[in-house]
Amino acid sequence: MSDLTGVEVLWLEKRIENRIRFGRVVEERKIDRHRRVLSFAPGSIFAFVRWTSNDFGTIISRIDILRAVAPGQRCSTVSYVTPGGEILLRLSGWPKVERVLQMVDAVEALDIDPTDVAPDHWHHVHNRLSVNENPRPYTKARHQAWLHRQKVMR
């Protein structure tokens, strides 16, 4: 059993798209023409976006921001993620997924890698968007405070 968290990504044109929006992949394994398994080290944060459609349009739009777990740690089961992960954010429905993707873009516009964002920010975004409220934006000052806290806690 591997110490890594594996995520199966899949792409079938105009039908299914399971992809990683951000995250530091440490290993990649090709299964076939349409499927790969991307692996993440314990403790790393990544965003997994799933979209499915049929002849009538989109039927599933979902985003999960997860922290990869170490062997033996408790985790939540997430489709296509082995063994699972610690859920920082889990939203479905295109309007909410689109808002999260816009927030990821805003973080990147600050020259901050979304994998380095304070995990509690993703919890905050999840909680606010779940009740149709606007989350606070992530700022450079907030990020500096998070980095400082990490140094102090080591």
Side-chain angles (χ1 to χ4, degrees), residues 48-50 60-65 87-101 103 122-133 135:
F48 182 40
V49 180
R50 290 179 279 166
I60 296 173
S61 252
R62 176 179 298 263
I63 186 165
D64 293 290
I65 298 181
I87 297 171
L88 304 177
L89 176 145
R90 171 175 260 188
L91 292 167
S92 59
W94 179 245
K96 291 178 182 178
V97 170
E98 185 177 36
R99 291 283 311 276
V100 174
L101 294 173
M103 297 196 80
W122 299 122
H123 284 293
H124 165 74
V125 171
H126 167 87
N127 292 335
R128 298 295 287 191
L129 291 179
S130 292
V131 295
N132 296 318
E133 293 289 334

Side-chain angles (χ1 to χ4, degrees), residues 22 32 52 56 77 85 91 109 112 128 132:
F22 66 80
D32 59 36
T52 305
F56 304 103
T77 302
L91 292 167
I112 298 171
R128 298 295 287 191
N132 296 318

Side-chain angles (χ1 to χ4, degrees), residues 2-149:
S2 174
D3 289 352
L4 303 176
T5 296
V7 180
E8 184 180 322
V9 294
L10 170 65
W11 182 77
L12 296 173
E13 188 173 359
K14 297 182 182 177
R15 289 291 182 186
I16 300 173
E17 184 177 345
N18 294 349
R19 66 183 177 93
I20 297 298
R21 172 56 181 86
F22 66 80
R24 293 185 182 105
V25 176
V26 295
E27 188 176 281
E28 181 176 342
R29 181 172 48 95
K30 185 175 180 176
I31 297 173
D32 59 36
R33 210 177 109 186
H34 302 285
R35 296 181 302 154
R36 296 175 294 143
V37 174
L38 305 178
S39 298
F40 298 89
S44 64
I45 294 174
F46 59 93
F48 182 40
V49 180
R50 290 179 279 166
W51 171 86
T52 305
S53 73
N54 62 18
D55 293 336
F56 304 103
T58 299
I59 55 175
I60 296 173
S61 252
R62 176 179 298 263
I63 186 165
D64 293 290
I65 298 181
L66 305 164
R67 185 179 357 223
V69 295
Q73 276 187 313
R74 290 183 292 175
C75 63
S76 297
T77 302
V78 178
S79 297
Y80 304 101
V81 179
T82 305
E86 177 187 346
I87 297 171
L88 304 177
L89 176 145
R90 171 175 260 188
L91 292 167
S92 59
W94 179 245
K96 291 178 182 178
V97 170
E98 185 177 36
R99 291 283 311 276
V100 174
L101 294 173
Q102 289 168 351
M103 297 196 80
V104 171
D105 291 342
V107 166
E108 290 174 333
L110 296 171
D111 289 326
I112 298 171
D113 187 331
T115 59
D116 297 328
V117 166
D120 64 334
H121 175 70
W122 299 122
H123 284 293
H124 165 74
V125 171
H126 167 87
N127 292 335
R128 298 295 287 191
L129 291 179
S130 292
V131 295
N132 296 318
E133 293 289 334
N134 290 322
R136 290 184 304 275
Y138 198 70
T139 63
K140 284 193 174 203
R142 173 83 194 279
H143 189 63
Q144 290 304 314
W146 166 244
L147 295 176
H148 181 69
R149 179 177 170 212

